[in-house]
Amino acid sequence: MSSTFGDNLKLSIFGQSHGPGIGMVLDGIPAGLAVDLPQLQRFLDRRAPGQGAYATARHEADTPEFLSGILDGFTCGAPIAALIRNTDTRSGDYANLADCPRPGHGDYTAQVKYGGFQDAAGGGHFSGRLTAPVCIAGGLCLQWLAFSGIRIGAHILDIAGLADEPFDPVSPALSRVSPDFPVISSQAGAQMQSRIADAKRDGDSVGGIIQCAVTGLPAGIGEPMFGGVEGHLSRILFGIPAVKGVEFGSGFTAAHMTGSQHNDPFTMEDGQVRTVTNHAGGILGGITDGMPVIFQVAVKPTPSISQPQQSVSLRQGCSAPLQVKGRHDACIVPRAVPVVEAAAAIAIMDLILGNTQTTRRK
């Protein structure tokens, strides 16, 4: 069930990168929730290929066809099924991958696991193309969470060592992120785009870090131990191809801090318990503390590069040179920003649907 996520809602992703279509089924959503399809399409357009000089030249409209679950602008209680048809594929670019796997991809491991029966074209079911249906589900969840005052936003924190201004962890201003290139500082954004262009010219690629904030979450969401919010978010975030690391709050920096530096002092604000700082990233003991949930996601460089690489011929059992063909992003970080937002929304929606709190002891 590796293509299914959720405890209280159930999200299933289907399709292959160069198959007839890709899609999702989202079950467990209550009836009567409003759905704004134009708003959803605007969200999907942020992830779609063929945008900007840094993105793949593959052109897909990424317009979902809803087969069930939505009626007259509202959820009807049935599973929500949506399909995106693939229209711009070049499977011939991948004809040799069953024999000569691409470094950095799942070609070799898929060959071992599935014995040659896997679909290698465009990465098949391992492709980042499968994040489009994740964004359908996540885009819907973002709308429903917003009805309760919960908002999720992300930006590029770093590309190839070039840093954007970080969110204020106590009061992140999500509206400051540019809708064109998702950064807070336009100067940093221009430098990042120039660095991506350099990598593309060199037949290479670069990676980066995405920072995401969830605001409006009440305290008390989540469970201790294996049911913690960090673990639940990490599970779906690591399902995004190219994600290699996730950290919450101060993350790995906490290892170089003292307890007096890292602890977030409690305070009362308008009758509510808050913290002065937010090194914990809004989560204590696996449970939300009412502060913004802040996390960072590390995204590796796009493994498909046009430079010659060393691989092997599985049939001949020897080393072999490889020249990767196809159309690829020199940096997938900008298009991954909405995917991170979508994944976070799905996980938070799942947690809220299953949230139970004990009546306070007198």
Side-chain angles (χ1 to χ4, degrees):
M1 301 294 287
S2 66
S3 299
T4 300
F5 173 86
D7 298 323
N8 305 288
L9 58 75
K10 293 292 183 182
L11 171 65
S12 293
I13 302 297
F14 64 86
Q16 293 105 250
S17 177
H18 285 205
I22 53 178
M24 67 98 209
V25 178
L26 184 61
D27 201 359
I29 300 300
L33 298 181
V35 174
D36 186 332
L37 292 181
Q39 180 181 338
L40 175 63
Q41 187 60 59
R42 289 191 294 272
F43 179 72
L44 295 175
D45 289 344
R46 292 172 53 200
R47 192 225 68 94
Q51 301 184 60
Y54 53 82
T56 172
R58 180 174 178 176
H59 288 277
E60 298 283 2
D62 281 1
T63 301
E65 301 174 28
F66 284 93
L67 310 179
S68 68
I70 298 175
L71 184 64
D72 298 329
F74 292 88
T75 58
C76 64
I80 302 171
L83 171 69
I84 293 176
R85 300 186 186 276
N86 291 326
T87 60
D88 186 18
T89 60
R90 295 182 185 175
S91 299
D93 290 338
Y94 303 88
N96 66 327
L97 299 186
D99 176 54
C100 195
R102 295 169 295 177
H105 277 277
D107 300 338
Y108 170 67
T109 51
Q111 176 73 14
V112 173
K113 185 172 183 65
Y114 300 116
F117 290 98
Q118 75 279 3
D119 182 356
H125 195 64
F126 294 84
S127 171
R129 180 84 183 117
L130 274 296
T131 60
V134 171
C135 283
I136 298 175
L140 293 172
C141 289
L142 283 167
Q143 294 183 21
W144 301 328
L145 291 172
F147 295 151
S148 300
I150 300 169
R151 287 177 171 78
I152 300 175
H155 72 113
I156 301 170
L157 184 62
D158 180 287
I159 283 180
L162 299 170
D164 187 26
E165 179 183 335
F167 281 140
D168 179 342
V170 174
S171 183
L174 306 185
S175 62
R176 293 186 60 198
V177 178
S178 170
D180 300 319
F181 189 79
V183 291
I184 296 172
S185 166
S186 58
Q187 181 178 359
Q191 293 173 339
M192 291 176 185
Q193 291 181 75
S194 177
R195 180 65 185 87
I196 295 170
D198 290 343
K200 183 176 181 179
R201 184 190 62 245
D202 296 338
D204 214 336
S205 64
V206 290
I209 300 171
I210 295 170
Q211 184 180 47
C212 186
V214 184
T215 65
L217 263 180
I221 303 293
E223 305 288 342
M225 296 292 288
F226 309 119
V229 174
E230 295 107 322
H232 204 62
L233 278 164
S234 296
R235 180 184 168 198
I236 191 168
L237 290 168
F238 277 116
I240 302 172
V243 168
K244 301 301 289 183
V246 178
E247 64 175 4
F248 293 85
S250 295
F252 280 88
T253 304
H256 304 289
M257 301 170 71
T258 63
S260 60
Q261 293 171 325
H262 187 266
N263 288 348
D264 299 311
F266 287 110
T267 186
M268 295 299 297
E269 186 177 299
D270 298 326
Q272 299 292 321
V273 176
R274 306 283 288 175
T275 60
V276 177
T277 54
N278 191 18
H279 296 296
I283 305 167
L284 293 169
I287 301 171
T288 57
D289 64 7
M291 296 296 289
V293 170
I294 306 287
F295 63 90
Q296 289 77 234
V297 174
V299 181
K300 72 178 183 180
T302 313
S304 288
I305 59 176
S306 59
Q307 291 184 8
Q309 300 179 79
Q310 179 179 316
S311 185
V312 295
S313 169
L314 298 176
R315 294 191 184 96
Q316 299 179 34
C318 62
S319 296
L322 175 67
Q323 187 85 43
V324 174
K325 300 179 181 179
R327 300 158 293 174
H328 309 283
D329 300 73
C331 180
I332 61 176
V333 176
R335 292 177 56 214
V337 169
V339 182
V340 169
E341 295 173 357
I346 294 163
I348 296 298
M349 187 77 182
D350 187 39
L351 287 167
I352 288 176
L353 287 174
N355 185 55
T356 57
Q357 293 188 21
T358 304
T359 303
R360 181 171 297 180
R361 188 173 184 176
K362 300 298 184 181

